């Protein structure tokens, strides 16, 4: 009988897989977006930077930055889901060869994004062989007071030839 891996080894493998996944997207580095992982749950973090301000009179985060933040949170959540199951069954945790593609994204701007860090969590409502539907919530100081939310539909990449899907 195989002995279970030490929890630290599992944690390091998961963290390395997430870091590798995020490194695939240069735009995440450009905006400074990073991800915190707790089990299979991801929280996207957008650290505040003056360059993200769209309206200096308020000041408020730029709407395009907010939309990009929510969209990338959804895409990384979908990609993470694509590698999670295989990784948990001992397969190498390589980033997906192809990422989901955005079909549409509807963003609800609920209040101005203040000049501080922002957080987002994506929830996959449905993920089939071809399409996925994802809801994302963005907040700053209080998770119950969202500053933006989005719903997106994504085209899932076809399974790799020789894969089990």
């Amino acid at each position: 009988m195989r002995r279970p891996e030490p929890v630290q080894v599992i944690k390091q493998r998961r963290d390395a897989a997430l870091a590798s996944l995020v490194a695939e997207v240069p735009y995440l580095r450009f905006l400074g977006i990073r991800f915190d992982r707790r089990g299979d749950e991801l929280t996207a973090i957008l650290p505040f930077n003056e360059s993200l301000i769209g309206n200096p009179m308020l000041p408020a985060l730029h709407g395009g930055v907010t939309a990009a933040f929510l969209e990338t949170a959804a895409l990384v959540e979908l990609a993470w889901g694509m590698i999670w199951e295989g990784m948990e069954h001992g397969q190498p945790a390589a980033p997906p060869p192809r990422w989901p593609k955005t079909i549409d994204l509807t963003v609800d701007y609920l209040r101005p994004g203040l000049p501080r860090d922002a957080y987002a969590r994506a929830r996959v409502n449905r993920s089939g062989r071809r399409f996925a539907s994802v809801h994302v919530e963005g907040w700053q100081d209080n998770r119950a007071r969202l500053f933006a939310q989005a719903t997106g539909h994504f085209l899932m990449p076809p399974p790799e030839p020789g894969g089990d899907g």
Side-chain angles (χ1 to χ4, degrees):
M1 190 191 283
R2 243 177 83 187
R3 236 182 141 185
E5 288 182 290
V7 75
Q8 245 352 75
V9 171
I10 294 169
K11 183 180 182 325
Q12 288 171 348
R13 183 176 63 241
R14 290 174 179 170
D15 290 344
L18 180 58
S20 177
L21 181 67
V22 170
E24 289 282 305
V25 187
Y27 193 55
L28 294 176
R29 275 193 310 275
F30 177 75
L31 290 178
I33 298 172
R34 60 184 199 275
F35 287 82
D36 180 44
R37 183 196 60 77
R38 299 287 184 244
D40 67 342
E41 184 176 74
L42 300 179
T43 300
I45 303 164
L46 175 65
F48 175 70
N49 185 316
E50 282 292 329
S51 67
L52 304 178
I53 294 295
N55 183 343
M57 299 303 288
L58 291 178
L61 292 177
H62 191 282
V65 169
T66 299
F69 176 52
L70 298 177
E71 181 180 17
T72 57
L75 287 165
V76 170
E77 181 70 31
L78 286 169
W80 181 247
M82 291 166 56
I83 67 171
W84 175 263
E85 190 173 331
M87 185 175 54
E88 291 306 292
H89 289 94
Q91 296 172 4
R98 288 176 284 194
W99 282 70
K101 297 197 181 332
T102 305
I103 296 170
D104 64 52
L105 185 77
T106 301
V107 179
D108 299 324
Y109 298 95
L110 306 173
R111 62 184 62 9
L114 300 173
R116 55 189 64 144
D117 294 353
Y119 307 92
R121 280 209 187 127
R123 181 184 70 247
V124 178
N125 294 327
R126 181 189 182 291
S127 183
R129 292 175 58 126
R130 296 189 57 195
F131 302 102
S133 174
V134 181
H135 181 76
V136 187
E137 296 181 338
W139 72 94
Q140 291 184 303
D141 295 327
N142 181 345
R143 182 145 187 220
R145 271 182 56 90
L146 303 180
F147 79 97
Q149 63 184 6
T151 300
H153 299 96
F154 300 86
L155 180 64
M156 299 302 288
E160 284 298 298
D164 61 357

